[in-house]
Amino acid sequence: MPLKIELKPGERLIVGNALITNDNERVKLFIEGNVPILREKYVLTEKEADTPCKKVYYILQEMYLAKDPTVLHPEYFSRIAEITQAAPSFAPAIDELNADILGGDYYSALKHMMALIEREAELLDRAKG
């Protein structure tokens, strides 16, 4: 069964290594096959990766889109160790992330990392407050 995606005017989408940009009208796409897909709202640029959790998300995004994600494992595990040391309360969520990574489920890891980014933002807001 193909994946159905609706794009708003001007919305972008990454399919595999290709960036697809919609024109001026709403469009429906049906995508068949096993390729990585990221909607624009889930894409984080390297410049936007300005916190420890966002940096890990960026690495995960690169892993998800890479032909050989294992080359990024050392950088991922190094950054994750830093986060665990700084915020031990993140350990259970990081265990889920690591299980995703070791199981090759990078899309699930991205979703789990989004939750950690939200928790990180709450902690940073409290620290400023």
Side-chain angles (χ1 to χ4, degrees):
M1 179 185 216
L3 173 66
K4 180 178 102 174
I5 296 178
E6 291 189 41
L7 295 176
K8 297 174 190 171
E11 188 175 4
R12 299 182 313 172
L13 171 75
I14 296 175
V15 178
N17 290 330
L19 175 64
I20 298 169
T21 303
N22 190 19
D23 200 4
N24 299 326
E25 297 181 23
R26 191 172 196 84
V27 68
K28 288 182 190 176
L29 299 173
F30 296 89
I31 301 171
E32 295 186 51
N34 188 16
V35 295
I37 298 169
L38 275 180
R39 295 183 74 100
E40 182 175 18
K41 66 183 179 181
Y42 299 116
V43 174
L44 185 71
T45 66
E46 191 171 12
K47 185 177 179 180
E48 295 167 330
D50 56 1
T51 68
C53 285
K54 285 181 181 179
K55 287 177 183 178
V56 169
Y57 183 92
Y58 181 78
I59 295 166
L60 290 172
Q61 175 182 279
E62 294 297 304
M63 291 165 89
Y64 176 64
L65 296 170
K67 290 186 184 203
D68 181 11
T70 60
V71 299
L72 295 163
H73 282 193
E75 185 178 358
Y76 164 80
F77 285 110
S78 173
R79 294 231 183 240
I80 281 296
E82 292 170 6
I83 292 171
T84 304
Q85 188 174 24
S89 65
F90 282 25
I94 287 173
D95 289 343
E96 287 181 0
L97 269 174
N98 290 341
D100 290 338
I101 296 303
L102 296 174
D105 191 351
Y106 299 101
Y107 187 77
S108 181
L110 284 169
K111 290 193 297 187
H112 284 124
M113 198 65 218
M114 282 186 229
L116 278 178
I117 288 171
E118 289 175 18
R119 285 179 59 192
E120 177 187 50
E122 290 169 7
L123 288 175
L124 292 172
D125 284 345
R126 277 191 231 147
K128 290 177 187 176

